[in-house]
Amino acid sequence: MKIIKIIFTALMVFTFSFFCEASEKSHPLYSLEITFDVENNLLKGIARITFPEGLTTPVSVGNLSLISIEMNEKPIPLPSKEKIQAQGTLVISYEVRFKQSKMENTLHNPGVVTKNIISKQGICLTKTWYPALDIPAQYHLRALVPENFTALSEADTITEQKVRAGIEYTFDFPYLRDSVTFIASKYDVSKEMFNNIEVFAYFFPEDTSLAKTYIDHSKKYLAMYQEMFGPYPYKRFSVVENFLPTGYSLPTFTLLGKTVVRLPFITTTSLGHEILHQWFGNYVYTDYENGNWNEGLTSYLADHLYDEKKGDGRKHRKKLLLDYQNYVNTHNEIPLDTFQQRTDSATRSIGYGKGAFFFHMLKNQVGEEIFYKALRILIEENKFTRTSWDDIFKSFESASNTDLEWFFDQWLSRKGLPQIEVTAPQVLMLGENYTVSFRAVQHGPVYKLPLPVRITTDKKDITKTLTLEKKCQYFEFTVPKKPLQMIIDENYDIFRKLSDDECPPVISGLLGDPQRRVVFSESQKEKAKDVISFLETRGFTPVNEKDIKDSDIASSSLLLLDSKGAVYSRLFGRAETSPDTEVSLKTYTNPLNNSKVITVLSGNSEQNLKDIVKKMFHYGKYSHLRFQDKKNVFKETAASSNGMKISLHTPVVGIRPEKTISLETIIENIKKTPVIYVGEKHTFYEDHKVQLDVIRRLHEENPNLAIGMEMFTQSKQQALDDYLSGKTNEEEFLKSSDYFKDWKFNYHLYREILYFAKEKQIPVIALNLKRELIKKVARNGLDNLTADEKKKIPEDMDMSDNEYRKRLQKTFSHHDKARGIKFENFYQSQILWDETMAHSIDRFLGQNPEHQMVVIAGAGHIAYGSGIPKRTYRLNGKEYVTLLNAKAGGSQKGFC
Ligand SMILES: [Zn+2]
């Protein structure tokens, strides 16, 4: 305490010589004298503010404890409000205490800390620590710090002097500033000269080995940006390590958190970003009230530029679009020109992501040369000035000499992004040439966009840029070669909504979904309660898997805590294989709603799960992660297509044999295959003829044959058995099996097959589910089945075959929409149908492993293997072949 008294005495004798010119200036002059009692987390300060004649502006004192105030050398009463209306010269004595509080959780917004701290470890003052002005002023800071501290603030020159009470620092920054930052701690300081700039590293003793790398990289970035934007504006630049987890850039220095500086990639990413802020943000200041443009611009010319130089520009931009899609929604969306600072992933996706994209599109619009020319004009005309989007607009209009109002208007003042859909693509062959035509439809507000298009042909690719500016626009052009595919915006040059095929399922889809749920099983309720309650604080709604409905799954993104649980097997039809590492996180497209995701968390202990769940917030761009000893050992983003791809030719389906293969050859090839699917168009007699031929020939090879038939429901198995064993005659059988009620097609189509089975005593297995149940699901979805009905359906179903979903979507739009059936329910009914049949086959072959089975079903349940075959394979792993009559959709072979 003795020392502290001496400090205050020393402070009182500071002189105010700095103010001699005040009255001639048009802005306030602000002298701030501070001193510290670090043991008690205390700052004492004297602020002397001189306003030029005629200027009056409020001074905010926030939570500072005021000791005394003098206006024009006369004491005035302490104000009751947070603001003082001042003119002339104002002297405020104050003190304030900033304790080391529990570290803020930065998961929401890593890199942003809003606390001031005064402690024995160090001092970090970034927010409201002195009486603040809301207009720029010229500051002069003098600080007395304990002897073992090194202090830093915005300054072109810093002088330090050892006095009895510690070290007295004076910071000279001869330009206007919006605010002042003050840092002091136990630093080792290194310095190198670069041209005429002093480059410093202020690192803690344990990290001094990093200083050299940081200085070297700083020199590299200074050189690079001087080349682009002209001389570095200040005489010194410092990289300063902070004991708080910050990533700030202030004029003349950057403040990087201790954990941040130790990350190996910072020197090649964030450091350059912070250095570029020396031009944008710390030289050309930001007029926050009229929008923060500097984060978008800096992200574009630092983070994006570094990736582009590595050849990853497209990847970078696609990630920005994906983040925007996953984190920004109608509740949290704001126009770019109202962004001020990031507070979470959504504001980051807007201010940094959409902001960077804005400048990318602007560069493409005006050309690279004019783009950089405009930025140099901006710097020249706006240095040390609060600068708005409007000023950027003026610089670009003046540099380009073109009308850019429409461009700034559509990208800055609107929420959202363009949604483009291509419809009715067509190719016509006229004479020698091909004419490609399509309609581009913009859902939502209409944007004017240059649409980059590439057409792949059987020879050379053709590229074009079309101008899209209408709600629905027809395009037509001629290409000399046969067009195969059209790809729109494959390099991601346009800020637009991605199509489903372009979106890989990634963790950010889960984290950014306003409807995110964590699903647990009964046994995990207690075991995983810490994980669940943590996730609740992160906006997840917990739900027990026994209570979740399909409509909940379809309307949300899920984190499943159990890869062997009921929800997982209902959606993916299998149990996830146990990870070979402690924890694994896998994200899939939600089978019930392709715009949402399902993340499966599996791990070997609750403690491990808890640790990794906290970490997943940093891995938003990945689909699959594995952790061992709490460290990430594997990360991968699922593949997705680049650009909107539109097929311009009908692909050849399946395998087209070189010559017609004889039945003999086919039988020879498949006689040992356990499951043989022979598809049919129900009414085609020739299909049934082929089915019988295949059964006949296979039976000659292997008497252990069985026939599975879609035409009979499982509950009618007894009726089939009775007929085949001779207990009933044909007439009785047709009645007891409800054939005419359940199946309806002409019995003669199947009669020969059943007759042959009876003659040779081949078991026939009824595969199908009750038609009423399928219809009920098609009308109202699986949720609507009664508990009793649910017992009759398979527990595990694979709903994740996206190609099958797309094919069903095509059939659906033709038939069922008109009847008021929703596609989601129709899809579920089809899967239920297929799964039931697959389970019936699996049940029989499980009980009769020596048997081979011929499955007779509609071609739609067999084509591409999607309906029944892959599902049976999932259940029993037995090889299969599919045979389809050419008219029924080609012939296919799978998993052989
Ligand atoms: Zn930044």
Side-chain angles (χ1 to χ4, degrees), residues 43 49 80 112 117 166 235 242 303 353 408 411 419 443 487 500 502 563 574 608 683 726 788 841 846 859 881:
L43 174 161
I49 312 163
S80 54
V112 172
I117 288 181
K235 292 181 186 152
N242 192 5
D303 313 60
F408 276 71
W411 293 114
Q419 291 186 42
H443 299 287
I487 310 165
D500 281 353
E502 294 171 282
S563 59
R574 59 178 191 270
N608 280 335
T683 50
D788 251 13
I841 299 164
V881 291

Side-chain angles (χ1 to χ4, degrees), residues 273-274 277 294-295 298-299 352:
H273 178 112
E274 302 305 342
H277 270 316
N294 90 58
E295 289 304 349
T298 305
S299 299
Y352 291 62

